[in-house]
Amino acid sequence: MNEQILRSTELTGIFGRSELDKLEKVFGEDWTAYRKAYENAASLKLSEFPIQLDIELNASCNLKCPMCPISAESPKGKGPQTWFSFDLYKKIIDYSYGQGTRALKLNYINEPLIRKDLVKFIDYAKDVGIVDIYLSTNGVLLTENFSADLIKSGLTRIQISIDATTEEIYDRMRPGGDFKKVIDNLNYFLSLREIKKSQTPLVRVNFVKTELNEHQLDDFIALWKDRVEMVGIQEFIKPTQSSEIIRSTRSTDKRKNGFKCSFPFKQLVINNELDVLPCCTFWGEELKLGKLNTPEDLMTLWNGEKIKHLRQIHIAGEYYKIPQCKQCVEGGCE
């Protein structure tokens, strides 16, 4: 695994990012063209339509993480009757692929494995032609059967958030989880993928750095760098509503460097309430672009005044003029 790569237009540093290049051998020219378009967008070069969509298929989670507005006890954690419909999803995928979308993340800030029918969403997108399909999960529900189904499906990548090397710190970062179960689930997934001789999904483990767990960061990287393809290091970006104070460890160096966010140039997020957002962070819900009534609304919102304003602000390196962007870039707590 190579050194950490932290782009000047993104907030997550990734060890092993170059592993993505190896998928050119799996997907050929389609992957090459997609990665070129993605890199252009990450460099703030605007395309006619987002190269990536994030779709929140269910506004619910099985944990109670203090850094997250959705939890097992959250009012937003609604039941199956409110979940994203497969029929609407198919229309969105059909339309978006036709306009140039080639990447799909199947969650926002929810837990995607709550949906036992998740694989059919993956299969459909893959059949349409979406090249890169991935998701982030806390790993608690990554059962043996789910692992087998995901490896067999068209899933390209899976990201598992762990944030700790010990059960004690894990329990504080991810209340309601089960550290041993997550590690066992991930180990089984990796061994099964090897048995199946499958090159995908690539595996990334994530570490959200706060003052609670930062002392474990080096050990976390050492533990996983030779076992998975990528390790993601993300700064904590949202004030916690928990009774336990959790603070970011981020400095404001990015402001000095003129940080420019690439999210409004490369993707749109559709949450479970059909709000369209300009980015995939917690703060995205405070910067809503509009409602999705038909798939064609994505084109309208992609070219709307709200997102144009965001792009202009970030091109100028003046993210701090937007309160939500300032909070996101400089850390969740003042």
Side-chain angles (χ1 to χ4, degrees):
M1 183 177 292
N2 54 17
E3 74 280 0
Q4 179 183 196
I5 297 176
L6 178 59
R7 290 193 178 111
S8 61
T9 60
E10 296 178 349
L11 295 172
T12 299
I14 300 175
F15 288 89
R17 191 191 293 267
S18 62
E19 292 293 316
L20 292 170
D21 298 336
K22 296 179 180 179
L23 292 181
E24 182 176 7
K25 295 180 180 179
V26 180
F27 302 113
E29 294 180 359
D30 288 345
W31 183 264
T32 306
Y34 151 62
R35 291 307 298 175
K36 181 178 180 180
Y38 189 93
E39 293 298 328
N40 284 339
S43 300
L44 312 189
K45 296 177 182 177
L46 185 63
S47 59
E48 294 183 359
F49 197 77
I51 189 67
Q52 175 172 321
L53 288 182
D54 295 10
I55 301 180
E56 184 180 51
L57 299 180
N58 55 289
S60 50
C61 188
N62 54 326
L63 302 189
K64 298 175 285 187
C65 303
M67 72 282 274
C68 182
I70 291 184
S71 77
E73 297 177 352
S74 169
K76 192 181 178 184
K78 299 173 183 176
Q81 69 276 9
T82 68
W83 288 357
F84 214 98
S85 82
F86 188 53
D87 286 342
L88 176 58
Y89 169 85
K90 290 191 294 183
K91 293 175 183 177
I92 291 171
I93 297 301
D94 290 345
Y95 175 77
S96 298
Y97 178 81
Q99 301 301 321
T101 295
R102 293 297 181 268
L104 174 68
K105 185 183 178 189
L106 284 172
N107 68 296
Y108 171 37
I109 54 178
N110 60 308
E111 171 49 53
L113 300 191
I114 285 177
R115 290 204 64 153
K116 302 308 179 186
D117 59 347
L118 179 63
V119 170
K120 75 176 183 181
F121 289 84
I122 298 170
D123 289 342
Y124 188 82
K126 198 68 176 181
D127 289 344
V128 168
I130 300 296
V131 181
D132 191 12
I133 306 170
Y134 71 107
L135 56 85
S136 293
T137 172
N138 57 48
V140 174
L141 302 176
L142 190 61
T143 62
E144 293 184 3
N145 287 338
F146 226 146
S147 291
D149 289 342
L150 290 175
I151 291 170
K152 184 180 178 181
S153 76
L155 193 67
T156 312
R157 298 182 274 151
I158 184 168
Q159 300 175 175
I160 301 175
S161 298
I162 304 176
D163 305 328
T165 60
T166 63
E167 188 171 7
E168 176 189 3
I169 297 301
Y170 175 88
D171 288 346
R172 295 175 70 185
M173 291 291 295
R174 296 196 169 270
D178 185 323
F179 182 70
K180 184 178 183 303
K181 178 183 285 187
V182 171
I183 301 303
D184 287 346
N185 287 349
L186 178 50
N187 286 334
Y188 178 83
F189 187 92
L190 291 169
S191 64
L192 183 62
R193 189 185 62 173
E194 184 175 0
I195 290 170
K196 298 291 186 182
K197 298 186 181 342
S198 178
Q199 294 178 271
T200 57
L202 300 184
V203 174
R204 182 176 119 186
V205 293
N206 286 335
F207 188 98
V208 178
K209 188 171 69 169
T210 76
E211 63 179 10
L212 283 181
N213 66 353
E214 63 177 339
H215 65 286
Q216 294 190 340
L217 176 57
D218 290 343
D219 288 342
F220 186 87
I221 295 169
L223 176 64
W224 292 107
K225 68 183 181 65
D226 296 323
R227 301 173 63 192
V228 299
E229 284 74 31
M230 289 170 277
V231 177
I233 312 300
Q234 180 183 347
E235 300 282 356
F236 174 53
I237 62 173
K238 182 75 172 176
T240 177
Q241 298 181 18
S242 168
S243 58
E244 179 170 30
I245 297 174
I246 298 179
R247 294 187 177 90
S248 171
T249 59
R250 180 182 302 152
S251 71
T252 58
D253 289 345
K254 287 187 180 298
R255 178 167 181 171
K256 297 175 185 177
N257 294 334
F259 178 75
K260 302 175 182 181
C261 184
S262 63
F263 283 160
F265 295 83
K266 65 187 181 186
Q267 69 195 83
L268 289 176
V269 177
I270 308 169
N271 72 11
N272 191 246
E273 287 74 36
L274 302 186
D275 295 316
V276 180
L277 318 176
C279 77
C280 64
T281 73
F282 295 126
W283 295 105
E285 291 202 307
E286 296 189 15
L287 295 170
K288 296 174 184 176
L289 302 176
K291 281 284 186 183
L292 180 80
N293 295 304
T294 67
E296 290 76 13
D297 291 334
L298 291 171
M299 181 66 81
T300 301
L301 297 172
W302 183 247
N303 292 296
E305 293 305 314
K306 288 184 179 180
I307 199 166
K308 284 182 179 178
H309 175 65
L310 275 175
R311 292 175 186 139
Q312 290 167 356
I313 289 291
H314 283 284
I315 286 174
E318 298 176 338
Y319 70 83
Y320 48 84
K321 291 185 176 180
I322 299 175
Q324 295 83 356
C325 296
K326 175 179 168 64
Q327 287 279 356
C328 181
V329 174
E330 296 183 7
C333 298
E334 292 289 328

